[in-house]
Amino acid sequence: MKTEDNKKNILDYLPDELETVASELGEKKFRAAQIFGWLAKGVTSFDDMKNIPASLRTALDERFYIGIPEAVRRQESKDGTVKCLFEFPDGTQVESVFMKYEYGNSICISSQSGCRMGCTFCASTMDGLDRSLTGGEMLAQVLAMRNITGEDIGHVVVMGMGEPFDNYEGLSGFIRLIHDKKGYDLGLRNITVSTCGLIPKIREFAVDFPQVNLAVSLHAPNQKLRERTMPVAKKYKYDDLMKACREYTELTGRRITFEYAVIDGVNDSAECAKELSARMKGWLSHVNLIPLNEVKGREYKTANGNSVAAFKKILESNGVAVTVRRTLGSDIDAACGQLRRKK
Ligand code: SAH
C-alpha cells in the first residue's frame, strides 16, 4: 500500500502497539494511551496532542501520518442523512453514510474500496475490487464523519462498500480499535457487520466476536434464485449457509438479521415469501426487507410498496420476525457505491 512519504498510518495501531513505538522512541509507555486517546478524538495533526511533549510530537510526525480521509464529495439530506465520498492519502475512495435514528446516530462504513463479490443488483461491485481497507481506515471514516457533522456516533454498521469477511483482518482490527476503552470505547453490541455469506468466516466471527451483531444478505428463498443475483452462492450453497447461520445462533445465542432486497419480478412473489417463511421458522432469525435501490446500469427495478407489504404480511402470518428498512436520504442519492461511480 502506498502511504504518505512511506510513513505509516498511526490509526492502525492498538495501544499496546503504540507502547512499543513509545519505547522505541525512548518514551514512557503511558504516552501510548495518551496518543491513542487523542486519535479517538479525531485530531488531524500531532500538534493537537497538547499533553505530548513537542519532541515526541516531532518524532511521531517523522514516522507516522494520521490517516483521516478527506471528504471529496458530500451530500446532505433533509432528514439529516449525510453521505460522504472519502479519499485516503493514496487516492483510494470509499463511501460512508451518517444517519439519525430514534435510538441515536449511526454510521454505515465501507470495508473495501469496490468489491469482488459480484452481486448483480449492487453498484459497489461494478468495477471490481480496488483494495481492502485497514482497520485504521475503517475507524477513520467514523472519526472523519464525526468531525464533519459535529455529532456523536454511537452505532456503526459495516454495510457500505465491500465484503467485510473478504477483509477479515481489516474488520477485526477495526473492531478492536473502536472498542478499546482507551479510545473510542464503542460497545460491541453497537456494531453490526453484514456479509454476503462467506461461511468459514461466519464460524470464525462467532468465536472471535460473539457480541457483535451479524447480518446476512440472503435476497432469495432458495439456491436457484440466490445464484441468479449472488455469484457467491455458487461457492457457498444455500443449505450450508443456513446450517452455518443456525450454528452461529447456537454458539452466540444471538439473532441473525437476514437482509432481503425486494426486487420487482425477481424475488417478490407470494411463493418466495412462503418459502422464505419456512426457512426462517423456529430459530433466532429476523428478516429485514429492503426496498431495492435502483442502480444506474443495472436492470432491476424496485418492488412496489404493495408487493413489499404483501410479502411482509405472509412472513408475519407465518410467525417470522420481519421489518421493512426505513428509507433515509432518498433525496440525495440511491444505493451505496453510486457516489464513487459518479466521477
Ligand atoms: N458485502 C456485504 C455488505 C455490503 S452491502 C453484504 O453483502 O452484506 C449492504 C447490504 O446492501 C447488503 O445486504 C447488500 O446486498 C445490499 N444492497 C446492495 N445493493 C443494493 C441495492 N441496489 N438495493 C438494496 N440493497 C442493496
Side-chain angles (χ1 to χ4, degrees):
M1 190 183 103
K2 245 172 66 189
T3 53
E4 250 188 13
D5 310 325
N6 290 323
K7 291 181 184 179
K8 295 226 156 57
N9 183 2
I10 197 162
L11 291 176
D12 284 324
Y13 287 64
L14 282 160
D16 57 335
E17 295 164 335
L18 288 174
E19 281 188 5
T20 309
V21 170
S23 301
E24 281 166 9
L25 296 173
E27 295 281 344
K28 295 258 164 44
K29 282 187 174 174
F30 75 91
R31 294 291 179 202
Q34 290 180 325
I35 295 165
F36 194 75
W38 281 113
L39 293 171
K41 286 191 166 69
V43 299
T44 52
S45 155
F46 290 106
D47 281 336
D48 295 336
M49 301 182 172
K50 301 292 179 216
N51 56 358
I52 303 290
S55 57
L56 177 55
R57 280 187 255 144
T58 307
L60 289 172
D61 194 40
E62 279 164 7
R63 291 166 180 77
F64 300 99
Y65 67 97
I66 303 173
I68 296 199
E70 188 194 339
V72 291
R73 275 170 193 269
R74 182 170 148 183
Q75 296 178 318
E76 281 180 50
S77 160
K78 289 197 280 289
D79 61 26
T81 303
V82 180
K83 185 165 180 170
C84 289
L85 180 65
F86 284 130
E87 187 171 295
F88 290 101
D90 71 344
T92 300
Q93 295 185 336
V94 299
E95 290 177 24
S96 314
V97 186
F98 169 87
M99 291 159 289
K100 290 189 161 196
Y101 288 99
E102 289 94 66
Y103 58 77
N105 298 331
S106 174
I107 184 173
C108 174
I109 62 164
S110 296
S111 55
Q112 299 178 313
S113 176
C115 184
R116 56 177 182 161
M117 296 298 120
C119 299
T120 57
F121 47 79
C122 179
S124 299
T125 199
M126 289 174 95
D127 298 322
L129 177 67
D130 176 4
R131 72 167 171 85
S132 284
L133 301 187
T134 66
E137 287 172 329
M138 293 174 70
L139 172 68
Q141 296 168 58
V142 182
L143 302 178
M145 190 63 91
R146 194 182 50 183
N147 285 350
I148 286 170
T149 58
E151 302 251 16
D152 286 335
I153 300 174
H155 297 264
V156 176
V157 298
V158 187
M159 286 195 190
M161 304 175 75
E163 166 52 42
F165 284 175
D166 187 37
N167 175 22
Y168 197 80
E169 195 189 336
L171 175 73
S172 47
F174 162 71
I175 296 171
R176 293 194 175 100
L177 285 164
I178 199 158
H179 176 57
D180 198 290
K181 292 238 165 333
K182 297 190 181 89
Y184 201 98
D185 193 16
L186 184 69
L188 294 173
R189 288 180 188 240
N190 292 5
I191 305 172
T192 301
V193 173
S194 177
T195 178
C196 63
L198 305 185
I199 291 174
K201 295 297 177 204
I202 292 177
R203 300 206 164 109
E204 212 173 321
F205 194 68
V207 173
D208 292 347
F209 302 107
Q211 289 175 296
V212 175
N213 305 299
L214 182 66
V216 173
S217 300
L218 203 53
H219 305 320
N222 59 52
Q223 174 67 22
K224 200 170 161 216
L225 202 53
R226 194 162 190 266
E227 260 184 43
R228 223 177 108 185
T229 53
M230 302 181 73
V232 69
K234 295 191 182 105
K235 182 156 183 198
Y236 298 112
K237 300 285 189 274
Y238 205 98
D239 289 344
D240 297 333
L241 177 60
M242 288 296 112
K243 192 163 160 263
C245 289
R246 279 172 193 257
E247 281 168 13
Y248 172 93
T249 61
E250 280 156 21
L251 203 72
T252 61
R254 318 268 335 264
R255 187 179 287 270
I256 288 185
T257 296
F258 289 99
E259 290 152 281
Y260 196 102
V262 196
I263 311 175
D264 182 47
V266 174
N267 65 359
D268 63 340
S269 68
E271 288 68 41
C272 285
K274 284 177 200 152
E275 203 177 351
L276 184 65
S277 301
R279 297 275 191 183
M280 293 296 133
K281 253 184 159 164
W283 59 298
L284 283 173
S285 63
H286 166 248
V287 174
N288 192 214
L289 299 175
I290 315 171
L292 184 84
N293 275 309
E294 288 176 16
V295 173
K296 234 180 157 181
R298 297 291 205 197
E299 70 205 272
Y300 302 115
K301 292 268 165 285
T302 189
N304 70 45
N306 290 341
S307 80
V308 175
F311 200 94
K312 179 169 182 257
K313 220 169 164 188
I314 294 173
L315 290 173
E316 277 170 343
S317 68
N318 284 296
V320 177
V322 54
T323 46
V324 177
R325 180 170 300 172
R326 219 176 107 211
T327 317
L328 285 176
S330 50
D331 55 327
I332 49 176
D333 213 326
C336 172
Q338 301 216 70
L339 201 55
R340 176 167 162 269
R341 291 183 53 78
K342 252 178 149 183
K343 272 181 259 190

